[in-house]
Amino acid sequence: RKEKATLERGEPLGCTGKLFIIDSQGYCMVMLPEKLEGQIFHHSSMPGGEAVLFAGAIDATNGKVTLIDNGSGHYKPKMEQCVEGMKVLQENGVDLKNVPFNFLAGMVKMGEAELPNFAIIDSAQEILDSHGDFARMLQTGKAKWALPHLNK
């Protein structure tokens, strides 16, 4: 069973690392793990496989968003979708200034293994301020690769 709810100003958001999407109509859907009860669930399950503006994970404590990422194996949101998603959250009263954003830029081969290639962006607000210019975020130190050897 899935529940659809709009993210409204002042609405308490209390979650930890929950899958979430913003659908094509701008509705935010967050999957509550206690609703799963052993079911297999993916980002694409929430909108029934339809296209979305953004997909990833979200953490919140005491009604404040504390972390966002774009980790979705199905939708694989690029920076353009991150910009659109952050616009929707900001328009709905989410303060992005002190919210770290873990940007999954793809996979990187390390020896025999392929690892997620994450960059840590200091503030989700920076995604909007830079208009999604990831290279600029790296150059100005607003983003750093999680794998240290990539920061050279």
Side-chain angles (χ1 to χ4, degrees), residues 31-42:
M31 178 34 74
L32 304 174
E34 58 273 11
K35 304 282 184 187
L36 295 178
E37 298 174 16
Q39 300 174 47
I40 296 174
F41 197 83
H42 304 282

Side-chain angles (χ1 to χ4, degrees), residues 42-60:
H42 304 282
H43 284 101
S44 58
S45 302
M46 286 184 264
E50 300 283 327
V52 300
L53 292 176
F54 180 79
I58 191 167
D59 288 338

Side-chain angles (χ1 to χ4, degrees), residues 59-130:
D59 288 338
T61 303
N62 298 323
K64 296 206 184 255
V65 176
T66 57
L67 181 71
I68 302 171
D69 76 38
N70 68 323
S72 171
H74 179 83
Y75 291 109
K76 297 180 171 82
K78 304 286 186 228
M79 186 54 75
E80 296 82 20
Q81 289 82 32
C82 295
V83 170
E84 293 306 311
M86 296 311 98
K87 281 181 187 174
V88 170
L89 291 177
Q90 187 178 59
E91 288 166 3
N92 283 280
V94 176
D95 182 1
L96 301 171
K97 287 185 200 108
N98 296 308
V99 179
F101 190 102
N102 291 340
F103 177 65
L104 178 58
M107 303 296 280
V108 63
K109 191 147 176 90
M110 298 206 44
E112 297 293 314
E114 270 199 330
L115 300 173
N117 191 14
F118 273 102
I120 301 160
I121 300 171
D122 294 341
S123 162
Q125 181 65 46
E126 185 60 33
I127 293 170
L128 295 176
D129 293 348
S130 70

